[in-house]
Amino acid sequence: MDVQKILSAVACIFVLASCSNNKSSSSVFPENGALDSSACMGQAIENKFIVQWEDGKFTVESAENADAFTKNFIEPQLEKIKFVEFDRQLQVDKTDEVRASGFTDSWGQDKISARSVWAQGVYGQNIKVAVVDAYVDYTHPQLQPRIAINTQEIPNNGIDDDGNGIVDDYYGASFVSVPSSNPTPSAHGSHVAGIIAADPRFGSVEGVAPQAQIIPAQFIANDGGGSLGDAVLALQYSASRGAKVINASWGGAPCVASLRNTFQELQNKGILVVVAAGNDGRDIDVYPEFPASFNIGTQITVAASSMSDFMTSWSNSGFEFVHVAAPGEHILSTVPGNTTAYMDGTSMAAPFVSGAAALIWSARPQATAVQVKTALLKSVDVSPGHEFKVNTRGRINVEKALQVLKQLVP
Ligand SMILES: [Ca+2]
Ligand SMILES: [Ca+2]
């Protein structure tokens, strides 16, 4: 399985290299050409195609099959098309709800020293953080005041009032194209959103950046499934809504040229992208996992630390591709139905870093994404005997990160 993943990654690099030559339908859509890229196919959706245009934008298109798509869509517009690949199925890691004793509900916030940043009047104000994930319950009392409302849109009138291509995206948008038969919303997106910005005036969860604004951009269905194309559209939407930080608590994409190109576009726009390292207990330098292993300049990949400040047994790691650790065990946050729950996972650790980024960015709004990343990475706590198998060896400390950012951006 893992060997296959490496082969798949190698094959993908080969495919990408072949894209840089003279343009033809088989160079922009190599999977449809003579090149045997079966290792890349994964769970390809053979009648859906992710198209990257020369202006950098992405769309997801449907056609009967690849041949029909090449003939009727790609060839007539070849000048304008940069890259095409099959859409693919993704499955989000399931996180278990846990109960444990001997910890406080805000142990993670305390461990990263968030409280002393709040005491300086720094709350993440005016920083937008996109939650590209499952459904976010915008009616939850701790989340509702923190949603970045699209004021150009009139809700529930069936009209795309602001002309951005999405009807009624007042509280955010859903890009789920393969709905699940499960009517109960997954708790994952709401839990992630609460860690970032839950409003402590209205409940027991203390968001790391309690005055940041959340942009819900859903692509994961209630059963945890989603497609790569829908993820690309949700990421692109987040950028268009002015997100400074994008939280991506998911992974497992098999072959991901379109996703990598999307991440490249986000870097070009100066957006910080925070990615969960994954929960398979393995080294993603050796067994790459995407998007965690992209390692683009404005990306932070996050492992999960425990209450005793060690790496959790199930967290992925890697001295090259994983940058920092953050609390990811017994994490209390908001879930649908006006309630809270504890969850474990690197999916919980990533939003600690997204919240920390929003927090320090709000104190220095003129900072670049690279400066915010540098501040977070340079300020980690590394305790003897507690070195993490991550690039910085440490767990984030947002109080120290704020000091570093103030030195970088006086
Ligand atoms: Ca709209
Ligand atoms: Ca509307």
Side-chain angles (χ1 to χ4, degrees):
M1 194 67 173
D2 291 333
V3 171
Q4 200 159 8
K5 276 207 168 164
I6 295 174
L7 288 175
S8 165
V10 170
C12 291
I13 291 162
F14 181 51
V15 169
L16 283 171
S18 75
C19 291
S20 59
N21 297 323
N22 288 339
K23 214 168 172 184
S24 68
S25 58
S26 62
S27 68
V28 298
F29 187 22
E31 290 155 306
N32 192 38
L35 189 76
D36 177 14
S37 57
S38 56
C40 281
M41 304 293 270
Q43 305 107 315
I45 305 168
E46 304 219 338
N47 60 358
K48 278 179 71 187
F49 307 89
I50 302 169
V51 178
Q52 185 180 18
W53 301 85
E54 284 292 353
D55 66 3
K57 288 217 169 65
F58 290 88
T59 57
V60 178
E61 310 288 345
S62 297
E64 199 177 326
N65 57 46
D67 287 344
F69 188 68
T70 303
K71 184 161 173 283
N72 301 325
F73 191 95
I74 299 177
E75 284 177 357
Q77 306 185 84
L78 192 56
E79 302 264 291
K80 289 187 283 178
I81 294 175
K82 188 172 181 182
F83 180 78
V84 178
E85 72 177 356
F86 284 112
D87 196 1
R88 289 184 176 75
Q89 293 291 341
L90 297 178
Q91 185 69 31
V92 174
D93 275 349
K94 289 258 191 276
T95 40
D96 296 324
E97 299 189 21
V98 293
R99 298 279 163 194
S101 57
F103 63 96
T104 63
D105 284 345
S106 295
W107 77 265
Q109 288 82 342
D110 292 332
K111 187 67 85 179
I112 67 166
S113 301
R115 214 167 294 282
S116 62
V117 176
W118 303 335
Q120 298 171 50
V122 175
Y123 301 105
Q125 45 271 62
N126 302 316
I127 303 295
K128 289 181 182 155
V129 183
V131 176
V132 175
D133 207 288
Y135 171 75
V136 171
D137 182 8
Y138 55 82
T139 69
H140 192 293
Q142 288 204 265
L143 295 178
Q144 190 168 36
R146 304 273 38 95
I147 302 295
I149 299 291
N150 179 3
T151 54
Q152 306 300 303
E153 185 70 41
I154 299 161
N156 304 319
N157 67 352
I159 297 168
D160 176 19
D161 301 285
D162 64 350
N164 68 352
I166 317 292
V167 173
D168 290 343
D169 58 322
Y170 182 72
Y171 291 110
S174 172
F175 297 89
V176 176
S177 64
V178 189
S180 139
S181 55
N182 184 349
T184 309
S186 153
H188 195 270
S190 305
H191 201 271
V192 165
I195 294 166
I196 297 167
D199 195 323
R201 294 174 300 172
F202 303 108
S204 58
V205 181
E206 297 186 285
V208 173
Q211 288 182 16
Q213 295 179 293
I214 297 291
I215 301 168
Q218 181 183 3
F219 82 97
I220 300 168
N222 293 344
D223 61 2
S227 88
L228 189 55
D230 296 344
V232 165
L233 297 179
L235 291 163
Q236 179 170 265
Y237 173 78
S238 302
S240 76
R241 288 286 314 281
K244 301 283 274 182
V245 181
I246 295 177
N247 189 90
S249 282
W250 44 272
C255 171
V256 285
S258 59
L259 191 57
R260 199 195 63 165
N261 292 0
T262 303
F263 269 56
Q264 200 62 53
E265 290 290 328
L266 298 175
Q267 172 176 316
N268 295 346
K269 292 184 166 88
I271 296 170
L272 188 72
V273 191
V274 181
V275 181
N279 304 328
D280 310 299
R282 65 175 181 232
D283 183 335
I284 65 165
D285 294 352
V286 181
Y287 304 107
E289 161 88 30
F290 300 100
S293 300
F294 283 147
N295 207 22
I296 64 158
T298 59
Q299 175 176 352
I300 304 179
T301 297
V302 185
S305 64
S306 70
M307 291 179 291
S308 50
D309 221 16
F310 288 102
M311 192 79 111
T312 58
S313 59
W314 39 260
S315 179
N316 286 351
S317 59
F319 285 128
E320 185 175 2
F321 294 150
V322 183
H323 300 96
V324 293
E329 175 187 60
H330 304 316
I331 304 300
L332 180 78
S333 188
T334 47
V335 295
N338 187 12
T339 187
T340 60
Y342 298 96
M343 288 190 180
D344 282 357
T346 56
S347 286
M348 282 65 248
F352 268 93
V353 176
S354 293
L359 209 48
I360 65 172
W361 216 331
S362 71
R364 285 293 183 274
Q366 69 274 37
T368 65
V370 169
Q371 287 170 324
V372 171
K373 174 180 171 176
T374 302
L376 287 163
L377 266 52
K378 280 204 159 174
S379 57
V380 293
D381 284 333
V382 186
S383 312
H386 288 243
E387 287 92 350
F388 291 89
K389 192 178 170 186
V390 300
N391 186 261
T392 59
R393 309 296 194 267
R395 184 248 316 128
I396 62 160
N397 179 318
V398 69
E399 181 187 15
K400 284 160 62 182
L402 179 58
Q403 290 166 9
V404 174
L405 188 63
K406 284 179 172 175
Q407 288 160 9
L408 289 172
V409 187

mmCIF file of all heavy atoms in Angstrom, residues 293-336:
data_model
loop_
_atom_site.group_PDB
_atom_site.id
_atom_site.type_symbol
_atom_site.label_atom_id
_atom_site.label_comp_id
_atom_site.label_asym_id
_atom_site.label_seq_id
_atom_site.Cartn_x
_atom_site.Cartn_y
_atom_site.Cartn_z
ATOM 1 N N SER A 293 2.373 16.736 2.453
ATOM 2 C CA SER A 293 3.779 16.696 2.022
ATOM 3 C C SER A 293 4.138 17.692 0.917
ATOM 4 O O SER A 293 5.250 17.647 0.401
ATOM 5 C CB SER A 293 4.144 15.279 1.548
ATOM 6 O OG SER A 293 3.960 14.333 2.580
ATOM 7 N N PHE A 294 3.222 18.579 0.536
ATOM 8 C CA PHE A 294 3.564 19.535 -0.537
ATOM 9 C C PHE A 294 4.742 20.436 -0.148
ATOM 10 O O PHE A 294 5.591 20.752 -0.960
ATOM 11 C CB PHE A 294 2.380 20.435 -0.879
ATOM 12 C CG PHE A 294 1.335 19.780 -1.720
ATOM 13 C CD1 PHE A 294 0.003 20.130 -1.572
ATOM 14 C CD2 PHE A 294 1.669 18.836 -2.669
ATOM 15 C CE1 PHE A 294 -0.970 19.545 -2.345
ATOM 16 C CE2 PHE A 294 0.702 18.245 -3.457
ATOM 17 C CZ PHE A 294 -0.629 18.597 -3.292
ATOM 18 N N ASN A 295 4.720 20.934 1.093
ATOM 19 C CA ASN A 295 5.827 21.749 1.587
ATOM 20 C C ASN A 295 6.042 23.030 0.782
ATOM 21 O O ASN A 295 7.174 23.433 0.531
ATOM 22 C CB ASN A 295 7.121 20.912 1.597
ATOM 23 C CG ASN A 295 8.097 21.392 2.648
ATOM 24 O OD1 ASN A 295 7.695 22.043 3.614
ATOM 25 N ND2 ASN A 295 9.368 21.100 2.479
ATOM 26 N N ILE A 296 4.953 23.694 0.374
ATOM 27 C CA ILE A 296 5.115 24.978 -0.322
ATOM 28 C C ILE A 296 5.455 26.065 0.705
ATOM 29 O O ILE A 296 5.319 25.866 1.910
ATOM 30 C CB ILE A 296 3.848 25.360 -1.117
ATOM 31 C CG1 ILE A 296 2.665 25.580 -0.189
ATOM 32 C CG2 ILE A 296 3.555 24.364 -2.216
ATOM 33 C CD1 ILE A 296 1.583 26.439 -0.784
ATOM 34 N N GLY A 297 5.899 27.216 0.217
ATOM 35 C CA GLY A 297 6.461 28.238 1.087
ATOM 36 C C GLY A 297 5.542 28.811 2.137
ATOM 37 O O GLY A 297 6.006 29.267 3.189
ATOM 38 N N THR A 298 4.236 28.821 1.884
ATOM 39 C CA THR A 298 3.306 29.397 2.866
ATOM 40 C C THR A 298 2.473 28.307 3.541
ATOM 41 O O THR A 298 1.373 28.558 4.018
ATOM 42 C CB THR A 298 2.369 30.433 2.215
ATOM 43 O OG1 THR A 298 1.637 29.790 1.162
ATOM 44 C CG2 THR A 298 3.144 31.604 1.656
ATOM 45 N N GLN A 299 3.005 27.092 3.569
ATOM 46 C CA GLN A 299 2.290 25.962 4.178
ATOM 47 C C GLN A 299 2.917 25.604 5.523
ATOM 48 O O GLN A 299 4.140 25.611 5.674
ATOM 49 C CB GLN A 299 2.364 24.748 3.248
ATOM 50 C CG GLN A 299 1.757 23.475 3.833
ATOM 51 C CD GLN A 299 1.772 22.333 2.821
ATOM 52 O OE1 GLN A 299 2.093 22.516 1.649
ATOM 53 N NE2 GLN A 299 1.447 21.140 3.285
ATOM 54 N N ILE A 300 2.062 25.284 6.502
ATOM 55 C CA ILE A 300 2.535 24.700 7.754
ATOM 56 C C ILE A 300 1.812 23.365 7.929
ATOM 57 O O ILE A 300 0.579 23.323 7.940
ATOM 58 C CB ILE A 300 2.243 25.605 8.976
ATOM 59 C CG1 ILE A 300 2.852 27.002 8.793
ATOM 60 C CG2 ILE A 300 2.781 24.955 10.253
ATOM 61 C CD1 ILE A 300 2.567 27.957 9.957
ATOM 62 N N THR A 301 2.566 22.280 8.042
ATOM 63 C CA THR A 301 1.978 20.958 8.275
ATOM 64 C C THR A 301 2.164 20.604 9.749
ATOM 65 O O THR A 301 3.253 20.789 10.308
ATOM 66 C CB THR A 301 2.609 19.918 7.337
ATOM 67 O OG1 THR A 301 2.312 20.278 5.987
ATOM 68 C CG2 THR A 301 2.067 18.528 7.606
ATOM 69 N N VAL A 302 1.093 20.095 10.370
ATOM 70 C CA VAL A 302 1.008 20.036 11.827
ATOM 71 C C VAL A 302 0.799 18.609 12.341
ATOM 72 O O VAL A 302 -0.121 17.914 11.907
ATOM 73 C CB VAL A 302 -0.152 20.928 12.327
ATOM 74 C CG1 VAL A 302 -0.175 20.980 13.850
ATOM 75 C CG2 VAL A 302 -0.067 22.326 11.734
ATOM 76 N N ALA A 303 1.649 18.187 13.283
ATOM 77 C CA ALA A 303 1.502 16.922 14.004
ATOM 78 C C ALA A 303 0.733 17.181 15.303
ATOM 79 O O ALA A 303 0.579 18.324 15.725
ATOM 80 C CB ALA A 303 2.882 16.342 14.318
ATOM 81 N N ALA A 304 0.281 16.095 15.953
ATOM 82 C CA ALA A 304 -0.529 16.234 17.166
ATOM 83 C C ALA A 304 0.279 15.895 18.408
ATOM 84 O O ALA A 304 0.845 14.803 18.514
ATOM 85 C CB ALA A 304 -1.759 15.339 17.083
ATOM 86 N N SER A 305 0.307 16.840 19.359
ATOM 87 C CA SER A 305 0.968 16.597 20.645
ATOM 88 C C SER A 305 -0.071 16.208 21.694
ATOM 89 O O SER A 305 -1.249 16.527 21.579
ATOM 90 C CB SER A 305 1.737 17.839 21.088
ATOM 91 O OG SER A 305 0.855 18.920 21.334
ATOM 92 N N SER A 306 0.415 15.534 22.732
ATOM 93 C CA SER A 306 -0.472 15.048 23.796
ATOM 94 C C SER A 306 -0.463 16.012 24.976
ATOM 95 O O SER A 306 0.329 16.957 25.023
ATOM 96 C CB SER A 306 0.006 13.674 24.261
ATOM 97 O OG SER A 306 1.235 13.823 24.960
ATOM 98 N N MET A 307 -1.308 15.737 25.976
ATOM 99 C CA MET A 307 -1.388 16.575 27.171
ATOM 100 C C MET A 307 -0.063 16.572 27.933
ATOM 101 O O MET A 307 0.277 17.546 28.599
ATOM 102 C CB MET A 307 -2.518 16.098 28.072
ATOM 103 C CG MET A 307 -3.875 16.368 27.461
ATOM 104 S SD MET A 307 -5.207 15.774 28.506
ATOM 105 C CE MET A 307 -4.974 14.024 28.344
ATOM 106 N N SER A 308 0.690 15.466 27.846
ATOM 107 C CA SER A 308 1.994 15.420 28.512
ATOM 108 C C SER A 308 3.107 15.944 27.603
ATOM 109 O O SER A 308 4.289 15.814 27.915
ATOM 110 C CB SER A 308 2.298 13.997 28.968
ATOM 111 O OG SER A 308 2.103 13.093 27.910
ATOM 112 N N ASP A 309 2.721 16.533 26.470
ATOM 113 C CA ASP A 309 3.645 17.213 25.555
ATOM 114 C C ASP A 309 4.605 16.265 24.852
ATOM 115 O O ASP A 309 5.758 16.608 24.603
ATOM 116 C CB ASP A 309 4.409 18.328 26.289
ATOM 117 C CG ASP A 309 4.532 19.585 25.422
ATOM 118 O OD1 ASP A 309 3.792 19.690 24.427
ATOM 119 O OD2 ASP A 309 5.355 20.453 25.754
ATOM 120 N N PHE A 310 4.111 15.081 24.527
ATOM 121 C CA PHE A 310 4.830 14.174 23.641
ATOM 122 C C PHE A 310 4.030 14.043 22.350
ATOM 123 O O PHE A 310 2.872 14.429 22.296
ATOM 124 C CB PHE A 310 4.982 12.780 24.277
ATOM 125 C CG PHE A 310 5.971 12.742 25.405
ATOM 126 C CD1 PHE A 310 5.534 12.736 26.731
ATOM 127 C CD2 PHE A 310 7.336 12.697 25.152
ATOM 128 C CE1 PHE A 310 6.438 12.699 27.774
ATOM 129 C CE2 PHE A 310 8.247 12.656 26.190
ATOM 130 C CZ PHE A 310 7.796 12.657 27.510
ATOM 131 N N MET A 311 4.662 13.458 21.320
ATOM 132 C CA MET A 311 3.926 13.144 20.111
ATOM 133 C C MET A 311 2.900 12.067 20.439
ATOM 134 O O MET A 311 3.209 11.116 21.153
ATOM 135 C CB MET A 311 4.909 12.623 19.047
ATOM 136 C CG MET A 311 4.314 12.525 17.659
ATOM 137 S SD MET A 311 4.262 14.151 16.864
ATOM 138 C CE MET A 311 5.498 13.918 15.597
ATOM 139 N N THR A 312 1.681 12.221 19.952
ATOM 140 C CA THR A 312 0.717 11.144 20.124
ATOM 141 C C THR A 312 1.169 9.943 19.287
ATOM 142 O O THR A 312 1.880 10.101 18.287
ATOM 143 C CB THR A 312 -0.684 11.584 19.645
ATOM 144 O OG1 THR A 312 -0.576 11.973 18.273
ATOM 145 C CG2 THR A 312 -1.214 12.752 20.459
ATOM 146 N N SER A 313 0.763 8.750 19.712
ATOM 147 C CA SER A 313 1.246 7.534 19.041
ATOM 148 C C SER A 313 0.760 7.460 17.594
ATOM 149 O O SER A 313 1.418 6.860 16.744
ATOM 150 C CB SER A 313 0.751 6.302 19.803
ATOM 151 O OG SER A 313 -0.662 6.311 19.840
ATOM 152 N N TRP A 314 -0.367 8.086 17.312
ATOM 153 C CA TRP A 314 -0.973 7.943 15.982
ATOM 154 C C TRP A 314 -0.660 9.097 15.036
ATOM 155 O O TRP A 314 -1.008 9.071 13.865
ATOM 156 C CB TRP A 314 -2.499 7.797 16.128
ATOM 157 C CG TRP A 314 -3.088 8.676 17.207
ATOM 158 C CD1 TRP A 314 -3.427 8.290 18.474
ATOM 159 C CD2 TRP A 314 -3.346 10.090 17.141
ATOM 160 N NE1 TRP A 314 -3.886 9.380 19.191
ATOM 161 C CE2 TRP A 314 -3.858 10.480 18.394
ATOM 162 C CE3 TRP A 314 -3.219 11.049 16.124
ATOM 163 C CZ2 TRP A 314 -4.230 11.795 18.684
ATOM 164 C CZ3 TRP A 314 -3.577 12.357 16.399
ATOM 165 C CH2 TRP A 314 -4.081 12.718 17.668
ATOM 166 N N SER A 315 -0.004 10.132 15.528
ATOM 167 C CA SER A 315 0.260 11.283 14.653
ATOM 168 C C SER A 315 1.292 10.941 13.591
ATOM 169 O O SER A 315 2.301 10.295 13.880
ATOM 170 C CB SER A 315 0.772 12.465 15.472
ATOM 171 O OG SER A 315 1.053 13.575 14.622
ATOM 172 N N ASN A 316 1.060 11.401 12.376
ATOM 173 C CA ASN A 316 2.136 11.326 11.378
ATOM 174 C C ASN A 316 3.238 12.297 11.760
ATOM 175 O O ASN A 316 3.017 13.264 12.501
ATOM 176 C CB ASN A 316 1.594 11.658 9.975
ATOM 177 C CG ASN A 316 0.763 10.532 9.394
ATOM 178 O OD1 ASN A 316 0.710 9.436 9.950
ATOM 179 N ND2 ASN A 316 0.108 10.796 8.273
ATOM 180 N N SER A 317 4.441 12.038 11.239
ATOM 181 C CA SER A 317 5.598 12.849 11.592
ATOM 182 C C SER A 317 6.478 13.008 10.356
ATOM 183 O O SER A 317 6.135 12.502 9.279
ATOM 184 C CB SER A 317 6.377 12.150 12.712
ATOM 185 O OG SER A 317 6.790 10.866 12.263
ATOM 186 N N GLY A 318 7.620 13.679 10.516
ATOM 187 C CA GLY A 318 8.556 13.837 9.401
ATOM 188 C C GLY A 318 9.438 15.046 9.648
ATOM 189 O O GLY A 318 8.918 16.145 9.833
ATOM 190 N N PHE A 319 10.742 14.841 9.657
ATOM 191 C CA PHE A 319 11.664 15.949 9.932
ATOM 192 C C PHE A 319 11.702 16.970 8.799
ATOM 193 O O PHE A 319 12.140 18.090 8.990
ATOM 194 C CB PHE A 319 13.076 15.411 10.188
ATOM 195 C CG PHE A 319 13.243 14.769 11.548
ATOM 196 C CD1 PHE A 319 13.781 13.500 11.665
ATOM 197 C CD2 PHE A 319 12.857 15.440 12.695
ATOM 198 C CE1 PHE A 319 13.935 12.910 12.922
ATOM 199 C CE2 PHE A 319 13.008 14.858 13.951
ATOM 200 C CZ PHE A 319 13.543 13.593 14.062
ATOM 201 N N GLU A 320 11.234 16.568 7.613
ATOM 202 C CA GLU A 320 11.249 17.525 6.508
ATOM 203 C C GLU A 320 9.867 18.151 6.281
ATOM 204 O O GLU A 320 9.725 19.366 6.291
ATOM 205 C CB GLU A 320 11.732 16.847 5.223
ATOM 206 C CG GLU A 320 11.888 17.847 4.080
ATOM 207 C CD GLU A 320 12.470 17.232 2.835
ATOM 208 O OE1 GLU A 320 12.732 16.019 2.815
ATOM 209 O OE2 GLU A 320 12.654 17.990 1.860
ATOM 210 N N PHE A 321 8.847 17.323 6.112
ATOM 211 C CA PHE A 321 7.556 17.840 5.650
ATOM 212 C C PHE A 321 6.618 18.273 6.771
ATOM 213 O O PHE A 321 5.646 18.999 6.528
ATOM 214 C CB PHE A 321 6.848 16.799 4.786
ATOM 215 C CG PHE A 321 7.553 16.504 3.489
ATOM 216 C CD1 PHE A 321 7.459 15.250 2.911
ATOM 217 C CD2 PHE A 321 8.304 17.474 2.849
ATOM 218 C CE1 PHE A 321 8.096 14.971 1.716
ATOM 219 C CE2 PHE A 321 8.954 17.213 1.650
ATOM 220 C CZ PHE A 321 8.847 15.957 1.083
ATOM 221 N N VAL A 322 6.839 17.807 7.989
ATOM 222 C CA VAL A 322 5.985 18.235 9.107
ATOM 223 C C VAL A 322 6.741 19.318 9.862
ATOM 224 O O VAL A 322 7.910 19.135 10.213
ATOM 225 C CB VAL A 322 5.628 17.056 10.032
ATOM 226 C CG1 VAL A 322 4.684 17.523 11.135
ATOM 227 C CG2 VAL A 322 4.994 15.920 9.236
ATOM 228 N N HIS A 323 6.097 20.453 10.076
ATOM 229 C CA HIS A 323 6.829 21.606 10.618
ATOM 230 C C HIS A 323 6.777 21.712 12.136
ATOM 231 O O HIS A 323 7.785 21.981 12.780
ATOM 232 C CB HIS A 323 6.275 22.900 10.007
ATOM 233 C CG HIS A 323 6.393 22.932 8.519
ATOM 234 N ND1 HIS A 323 5.358 22.576 7.680
ATOM 235 C CD2 HIS A 323 7.444 23.228 7.729
ATOM 236 C CE1 HIS A 323 5.762 22.680 6.428
ATOM 237 N NE2 HIS A 323 7.021 23.071 6.426
ATOM 238 N N VAL A 324 5.599 21.570 12.699
ATOM 239 C CA VAL A 324 5.427 21.786 14.140
ATOM 240 C C VAL A 324 4.426 20.780 14.702
ATOM 241 O O VAL A 324 3.670 20.154 13.963
ATOM 242 C CB VAL A 324 4.876 23.210 14.448
ATOM 243 C CG1 VAL A 324 5.883 24.283 14.092
ATOM 244 C CG2 VAL A 324 3.543 23.446 13.747
ATOM 245 N N ALA A 325 4.423 20.671 16.040
ATOM 246 C CA ALA A 325 3.363 19.944 16.743
ATOM 247 C C ALA A 325 2.449 20.960 17.416
ATOM 248 O O ALA A 325 2.862 22.083 17.716
ATOM 249 C CB ALA A 325 3.961 19.003 17.778
ATOM 250 N N ALA A 326 1.200 20.543 17.662
ATOM 251 C CA ALA A 326 0.226 21.368 18.385
ATOM 252 C C ALA A 326 -0.760 20.420 19.064
ATOM 253 O O ALA A 326 -0.889 19.261 18.648
ATOM 254 C CB ALA A 326 -0.498 22.312 17.425
ATOM 255 N N PRO A 327 -1.439 20.897 20.103
ATOM 256 C CA PRO A 327 -2.340 20.012 20.848
ATOM 257 C C PRO A 327 -3.376 19.321 19.955
ATOM 258 O O PRO A 327 -4.036 19.975 19.148
ATOM 259 C CB PRO A 327 -3.013 20.978 21.831
ATOM 260 C CG PRO A 327 -1.978 22.046 22.057
ATOM 261 C CD PRO A 327 -1.335 22.238 20.707
ATOM 262 N N GLY A 328 -3.498 17.987 20.123
ATOM 263 C CA GLY A 328 -4.416 17.234 19.271
ATOM 264 C C GLY A 328 -5.078 16.062 19.959
ATOM 265 O O GLY A 328 -5.576 15.145 19.305
ATOM 266 N N GLU A 329 -5.072 16.073 21.297
ATOM 267 C CA GLU A 329 -5.635 14.950 22.050
ATOM 268 C C GLU A 329 -6.606 15.497 23.093
ATOM 269 O O GLU A 329 -6.294 16.473 23.776
ATOM 270 C CB GLU A 329 -4.471 14.216 22.737
ATOM 271 C CG GLU A 329 -4.880 13.110 23.657
ATOM 272 C CD GLU A 329 -3.674 12.542 24.418
ATOM 273 O OE1 GLU A 329 -3.004 13.291 25.166
ATOM 274 O OE2 GLU A 329 -3.430 11.346 24.263
ATOM 275 N N HIS A 330 -7.783 14.860 23.214
ATOM 276 C CA HIS A 330 -8.799 15.305 24.186
ATOM 277 C C HIS A 330 -9.096 16.796 24.028
ATOM 278 O O HIS A 330 -8.988 17.566 24.970
ATOM 279 C CB HIS A 330 -8.351 15.035 25.627
ATOM 280 C CG HIS A 330 -7.999 13.610 25.888
ATOM 281 N ND1 HIS A 330 -8.760 12.555 25.444
ATOM 282 C CD2 HIS A 330 -6.951 13.068 26.543
ATOM 283 C CE1 HIS A 330 -8.194 11.432 25.815
ATOM 284 N NE2 HIS A 330 -7.092 11.705 26.472
ATOM 285 N N ILE A 331 -9.436 17.182 22.829
ATOM 286 C CA ILE A 331 -9.682 18.591 22.538
ATOM 287 C C ILE A 331 -11.178 18.870 22.585
ATOM 288 O O ILE A 331 -11.962 18.251 21.850
ATOM 289 C CB ILE A 331 -9.114 18.977 21.151
ATOM 290 C CG1 ILE A 331 -7.614 18.650 21.066
ATOM 291 C CG2 ILE A 331 -9.393 20.453 20.856
ATOM 292 C CD1 ILE A 331 -6.730 19.355 22.088
ATOM 293 N N LEU A 332 -11.561 19.814 23.436
ATOM 294 C CA LEU A 332 -12.962 20.222 23.532
ATOM 295 C C LEU A 332 -13.242 21.286 22.478
ATOM 296 O O LEU A 332 -12.489 22.246 22.342
ATOM 297 C CB LEU A 332 -13.248 20.819 24.920
ATOM 298 C CG LEU A 332 -14.705 21.281 25.107
ATOM 299 C CD1 LEU A 332 -15.627 20.096 25.376
ATOM 300 C CD2 LEU A 332 -14.817 22.309 26.233
ATOM 301 N N SER A 333 -14.353 21.100 21.747
ATOM 302 C CA SER A 333 -14.769 22.172 20.832
ATOM 303 C C SER A 333 -16.260 22.029 20.505
ATOM 304 O O SER A 333 -16.934 21.126 20.997
ATOM 305 C CB SER A 333 -13.918 22.165 19.562
ATOM 306 O OG SER A 333 -14.206 23.320 18.788
ATOM 307 N N THR A 334 -16.734 22.942 19.679
ATOM 308 C CA THR A 334 -18.143 23.020 19.326
ATOM 309 C C THR A 334 -18.524 21.933 18.326
ATOM 310 O O THR A 334 -17.762 21.625 17.402
ATOM 311 C CB THR A 334 -18.426 24.389 18.689
ATOM 312 O OG1 THR A 334 -17.403 24.658 17.705
ATOM 313 C CG2 THR A 334 -18.380 25.493 19.718
ATOM 314 N N VAL A 335 -19.728 21.385 18.490
ATOM 315 C CA VAL A 335 -20.287 20.459 17.496
ATOM 316 C C VAL A 335 -21.753 20.819 17.270
ATOM 317 O O VAL A 335 -22.354 21.529 18.096
ATOM 318 C CB VAL A 335 -20.144 18.971 17.930
ATOM 319 C CG1 VAL A 335 -18.673 18.568 17.995
ATOM 320 C CG2 VAL A 335 -20.841 18.697 19.236
ATOM 321 N N PRO A 336 -22.341 20.369 16.152
ATOM 322 C CA PRO A 336 -23.733 20.744 15.846
ATOM 323 C C PRO A 336 -24.699 20.368 16.962
ATOM 324 O O PRO A 336 -24.457 19.407 17.715
ATOM 325 C CB PRO A 336 -24.028 19.952 14.563
ATOM 326 C CG PRO A 336 -22.700 19.784 13.914
ATOM 327 C CD PRO A 336 -21.730 19.597 15.061
#
